[in-house]
């Protein structure tokens, strides 16, 4: 990836497509800072390469399904850097369980570099527990940027302070997903187990949005609300907040079975689910930044009622996704817990191409009957992909 070195006057906005001025030593009356700035052209190029990798993945998936020939490559990586968390979410078990061992940044960077050789372009999302609790997160983000790989984090927003915002934008973060489940503090704070959380997160996201504008960063804010029985009647209100901070979009996540508490939170009357789906579909058609496709939202009725759709298609998750756990284990899917290896000792590219990797992909695609609303059950149309590309570009 090409970078331009620039001397930038403190507190002065700089955008990659602006002309660069260099201020020279002794006669300069302003204090300047030497920084590395990724040009807007580089960012566009990186996004185009990712889009092309996803298009290639779609053709490889079709070829695998129809012929069994395996030319698949992972294009979406989910990386769990840590199981530590500063929230006490009602539906989650991370904070209740003992903290798992964490691998050093060097192991993660080596694995991500191996994936670069394997796939060319891919996106890595640092998710699950709170990635911002790792001090070496930014070392890993800088490394992914240097590789030309897009990266993002998913956060509860509590640690999005000014210092971390500056570091995230300086590392060229592609997307920052923030969990906001309701604009009602009682609902959101109760779900996340932290009193006063919503007001802090709103303020942090507003500061993030301002910092993005000031710096000329191309980082995208994505709001990710859970959909559950507690917020089913009001979760749509999150869209207005997303619009106020000019978020790239809102990606609604239906609650999944994880703990006894999560199963209770999934018990939603059918009429309430239908009302929400109809409301969100209308809002999307009216131009609101809702990232879910209407087809995927239609499946929420079966999801919350526990039904398996009769037209459940072949699972394609193991043909394009890869999950790396905090201990380094590499999985094709977190619902199928057979590790292909461990990044502390094995090469992740070799894991994907191994006989075990190939056999697991065949097994999961043929045998998996899990209802996964986020990925395998709905095949996005070309229009869906074009709209998503437009929203994120």
């Amino acid at each position: 990836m090409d970078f331009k070195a620039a001397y930038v006057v403190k507190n002065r906005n700089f955008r990659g497509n602006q002309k660069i001025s260099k201020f020279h030593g002794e006669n300069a009356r302003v204090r300047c800072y030497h920084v590395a700035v990724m040009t807007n052209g580089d960012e566009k190029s990186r996004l185009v390469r990712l889009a092309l990798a996803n298009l290639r993945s779609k053709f490889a998936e079709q070829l695998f399904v129809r012929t069994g020939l395996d030319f698949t490559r992972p294009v979406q990586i989910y990386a769990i850097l840590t199981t530590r968390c500063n929230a006490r979410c009602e539906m989650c078990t991370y904070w209740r369980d003992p903290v798992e061992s964490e691998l050093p940044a060097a192991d993660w960077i080596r694995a991500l570099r191996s994936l670069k050789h394997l796939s060319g372009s891919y996106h890595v999302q640092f998710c699950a527990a709170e990635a911002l609790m790792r001090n070496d997160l930014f070392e890993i983000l800088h490394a992914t940027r240097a590789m030309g790989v897009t990266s993002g984090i998913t956060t509860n927003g509590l640690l999005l302070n000014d210092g971390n915002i500056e570091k995230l934008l300086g590392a060229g973060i592609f997307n920052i997903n923030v969990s906001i489940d309701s604009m009602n503090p009682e609902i959101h704070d109760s779900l996340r187990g932290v009193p006063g959380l919503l007001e802090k997160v709103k303020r942090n996201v507003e500061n993030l949005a301002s910092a993005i504008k000031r710096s000329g960063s191309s980082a995208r804010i994505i709001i990710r609300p859970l959909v559950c029985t507690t917020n089913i009647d009001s979760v749509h209100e999150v869209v207005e907040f997303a619009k106020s901070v000019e978020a790239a979009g809102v990606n609604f996540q239906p609650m999944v079975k994880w703990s006894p508490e999560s199963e209770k939170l999934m018990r939603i009357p059918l009429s309430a689910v239908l009302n929400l789906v109809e409301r969100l579909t209308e809002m999307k058609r009216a131009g609101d930044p809702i990232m879910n496709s209407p087809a995927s939202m239609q499946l929420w009725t079966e999801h919350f009622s526990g039904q398996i759709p009769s037209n459940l298609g072949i699972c394609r998750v193991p043909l394009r996704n890869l999950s790396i756990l905090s201990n380094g284990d590499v999985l094709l899917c977190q619902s199928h817990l057979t590790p292909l290896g461990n990044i502390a000792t094995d090469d992740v590219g070799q894991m994907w191409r191994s006989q075990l990797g190939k056999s697991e992909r065949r097994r999961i695609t043929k045998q998996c009957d899990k209802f996964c609303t986020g990925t395998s059950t709905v095949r996005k149309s070309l229009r869906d992909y074009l709209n998503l590309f437009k929203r994120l570009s």
Side-chain angles (χ1 to χ4, degrees):
M1 183 180 300
D2 295 324
F3 292 85
K4 291 185 178 180
Y7 287 90
V8 184
V9 181
K10 186 178 181 182
N11 295 328
R12 180 177 180 177
N13 290 348
F14 178 86
R15 295 181 183 271
N17 59 358
Q18 290 177 339
K19 182 178 179 180
I20 295 177
S21 298
K22 186 173 181 180
F23 297 87
H24 293 279
E26 298 178 345
N27 296 327
R29 296 184 179 181
V30 292
R31 185 180 181 189
C32 302
Y33 296 81
H34 184 260
V35 295
V37 179
M38 183 169 66
T39 67
N40 287 350
D42 288 331
E43 177 69 10
K44 287 287 186 182
S45 176
R46 188 167 58 158
L47 186 57
V48 168
R49 289 197 300 271
L50 181 61
L52 291 175
N54 275 274
L55 185 61
R56 177 201 178 281
S57 177
K58 289 299 171 188
F59 282 112
E61 290 171 25
Q62 281 295 103
L63 186 64
F64 181 92
V65 170
R66 292 184 177 182
T67 69
L69 293 174
D70 192 349
F71 294 99
T72 61
R73 295 291 184 270
V75 291
Q76 177 64 56
I77 313 301
Y78 296 98
I80 302 175
L81 291 177
T82 180
T83 60
R84 289 180 287 154
C85 195
N86 53 356
R88 298 292 182 266
C89 299
E90 186 176 351
M91 74 298 297
C92 184
T93 62
Y94 278 121
W95 61 272
R96 309 173 212 251
D97 299 333
V99 175
E100 296 182 4
S101 59
E102 299 174 3
L103 297 180
D107 287 344
W108 285 99
I109 293 170
R110 184 175 60 252
L112 295 172
R113 187 172 293 116
S114 175
L115 282 164
K116 175 69 176 177
H117 293 314
L118 175 68
S119 299
S121 292
Y122 64 88
H123 178 81
V124 55
Q125 189 73 16
F126 298 104
C127 54
E130 186 53 60
L132 283 168
M133 296 191 75
R134 280 194 61 148
N135 294 329
D136 57 2
L137 167 67
F138 305 104
E139 177 185 353
I140 299 171
L141 292 177
H142 277 286
T144 61
R145 178 184 184 181
M147 295 175 204
V149 171
T150 65
S151 61
I153 66 165
T154 300
T155 175
N156 58 43
L158 192 56
L159 293 179
L160 278 178
N161 53 50
D162 290 343
N164 281 337
I165 288 173
E166 182 179 359
K167 291 177 183 177
L168 287 169
L169 300 187
I173 194 83
F174 181 82
N175 63 291
I176 301 171
N177 297 356
V178 185
S179 300
I180 299 180
D181 304 316
S182 174
M183 301 315 295
N184 182 327
E186 291 184 7
I187 295 176
H188 180 79
D189 297 352
S190 175
L191 281 171
R192 298 291 167 174
V194 180
L197 179 62
L198 178 61
E199 292 307 314
K200 294 176 183 176
V201 173
K202 285 170 56 181
R203 183 167 59 250
N204 288 347
V205 173
E206 289 165 352
N207 290 341
L208 170 62
S210 297
I212 289 173
K213 284 186 176 180
R214 287 196 309 272
S215 66
S217 167
S218 57
R220 292 91 171 153
I221 299 172
I222 297 175
I223 306 299
R224 285 172 60 95
L226 283 172
V227 178
C228 63
T229 185
T230 308
N231 66 358
I232 188 70
D233 295 324
S234 62
V235 68
H236 65 279
E237 296 171 357
V238 172
V239 175
E240 286 304 312
F241 174 74
K243 290 161 64 176
S244 74
V245 295
E246 299 182 11
V250 182
N251 190 356
F252 291 90
Q253 302 295 304
M255 182 70 68
V256 296
K257 292 181 180 179
W258 188 358
S259 65
E261 292 81 4
S262 66
E263 292 187 31
K264 293 178 182 177
L265 290 167
M266 290 183 66
R267 297 172 187 168
I268 307 175
L270 177 60
S271 59
V273 178
L274 289 171
N275 287 339
L276 177 62
V277 170
E278 182 179 0
R279 184 193 295 270
L280 293 181
T281 301
E282 290 177 356
M283 292 171 66
K284 184 178 177 72
R285 287 172 180 162
D288 283 337
I290 296 170
M291 301 177 74
N292 309 75
S293 69
S296 68
M297 291 189 288
Q298 289 293 332
L299 285 174
W300 291 358
T301 54
E302 286 93 343
H303 173 74
F304 285 110
S305 64
Q307 299 176 10
I308 302 296
S310 58
N311 61 343
L312 185 64
I314 292 175
C315 177
R316 301 186 179 216
V317 170
L319 305 181
R320 60 172 180 256
N321 291 5
L322 206 61
S323 293
I324 308 178
L325 307 185
S326 61
N327 67 357
D329 282 350
V330 176
L331 308 175
L332 290 174
C333 172
Q334 292 189 52
S335 295
H336 297 269
L337 303 179
T338 301
L340 302 185
N342 190 287
I343 63 172
T345 55
D346 308 309
D347 180 84
V348 69
Q350 292 178 4
M351 294 182 218
W352 182 272
R353 293 187 294 260
S354 69
Q355 190 58 46
L356 176 60
K358 293 177 181 178
S359 63
E360 279 296 290
R361 283 193 287 280
R362 287 194 295 269
R363 182 184 68 82
I364 296 173
T365 54
K366 291 180 179 180
Q367 298 179 9
C368 183
D369 59 355
K370 295 183 181 296
F371 183 27
C372 175
T373 58
T375 49
S376 61
T377 54
V378 176
R379 301 173 191 174
K380 290 185 176 67
S381 66
L382 179 59
R383 176 179 292 181
D384 290 331
Y385 278 106
L386 291 174
N387 287 339
L388 182 61
F389 178 81
K390 181 180 178 181
R391 182 164 297 283
L392 292 178
S393 62

